[in-house]
Amino acid sequence: MKILVVEDEAALSKSIVTYLKQENYLCEVAPNFNTALEKVDSYDYDCILLDISLPDGNGLNVLKTLKEDNKTDGVIIISAKDSIDDKIAGLQLGADDYIPKPFHLSELSARIAAVIRRRRFNGGNVLAFHEITIDTVAKTVTVHQQTVDLTRKEYDLLLYFAINKNRVLSKTAIAEHLSGENADVYDNYDFIYAHIKNLKKKLGAAGSTDYLKSVYGMGYKFEY
């Protein structure tokens, strides 16, 4: 799951990212309004933590841009402004939740998980595809009720494909999902091929049908 932290307070931003990485989230940071706009225009996120008071703009305008572009990123507003007007404005613009500063990081993580469940998993914690079951809370995968030992990248990859079942995902989109803004540093997509090969091998060894198909010249698709 990929998170964008839009927050100009460096210490708070660092604390959030450190905590969420321990929860196995892939995190990126936008310390100001313009960077946030560039990132939401270039990438998709499972959840965006959006501060309202940014040094070069109002965070609510980032939310407006998301809605104008019909993007489905989940949004939690985080702000020192504990104002009912700010809360109402954000929710009316389409934010999923609002949490005032200061807050406990454990509560923030729980709210992120709740938003992602509503957005991606219809409110549930489990995705099931015939013999494959993905538990998004325990972060486990089973095939025929037997646990499959996946690396974090392999798990993230399988979940990404499952969420986007029957859609062709380009190699660029997969690279960005797995590595975020660092995807540009790779000269080729060998790391994607390696992760996909290992994932297919492990699922196959556990007795799963091969749902992960290569679409020539385009990318990959989880065909279900």
Side-chain angles (χ1 to χ4, degrees), residues 57-86:
N58 189 320
L60 291 179
N61 289 326
V62 175
L63 185 53
K64 289 179 181 178
T65 298
L66 284 169
K67 302 311 169 184
E68 288 169 357
D69 293 342
N70 295 315
K71 302 197 74 173
T72 60
D73 312 49
V75 177
I76 298 176
I77 294 175
I78 54 174
S79 178
K81 292 183 177 180
D82 192 10
S83 163
I84 188 65
D85 291 337
D86 291 323

Side-chain angles (χ1 to χ4, degrees), residues 153-154 157-158 161 169-171 174 178 189-203 210 212-214 219-221:
K153 291 292 188 184
E154 290 163 0
L157 186 60
L158 176 60
F161 278 116
L169 301 176
S170 69
K171 291 185 286 291
I174 297 169
L178 292 179
Y189 295 112
D190 287 349
F191 77 106
I192 292 178
Y193 304 142
H195 286 312
I196 290 177
K197 179 181 178 181
N198 290 337
L199 176 61
K200 287 165 68 74
K201 182 178 179 180
K202 289 181 179 181
L203 292 177
D210 185 9
L212 191 51
K213 307 297 183 182
S214 174
Y220 293 87
K221 177 171 64 171

Side-chain angles (χ1 to χ4, degrees), residues 54-127:
L54 298 171
D56 54 343
N58 189 320
L60 291 179
N61 289 326
V62 175
L63 185 53
K64 289 179 181 178
T65 298
L66 284 169
K67 302 311 169 184
E68 288 169 357
D69 293 342
N70 295 315
K71 302 197 74 173
T72 60
D73 312 49
V75 177
I76 298 176
I77 294 175
I78 54 174
S79 178
K81 292 183 177 180
D82 192 10
S83 163
I84 188 65
D85 291 337
D86 291 323
K87 182 176 182 179
I88 290 173
L91 294 175
Q92 287 180 335
L93 285 170
D96 297 275
D97 202 353
Y98 181 104
I99 184 169
K101 301 175 186 177
F103 49 79
H104 291 288
L105 292 173
S106 57
E107 179 185 2
L108 178 64
S109 179
R111 291 188 181 222
I112 291 171
V115 167
I116 292 174
R117 283 198 301 272
R118 291 197 300 270
R119 286 274 179 170
R120 304 298 192 196
F121 311 125
N122 297 318
N125 299 324
V126 175
L127 288 178

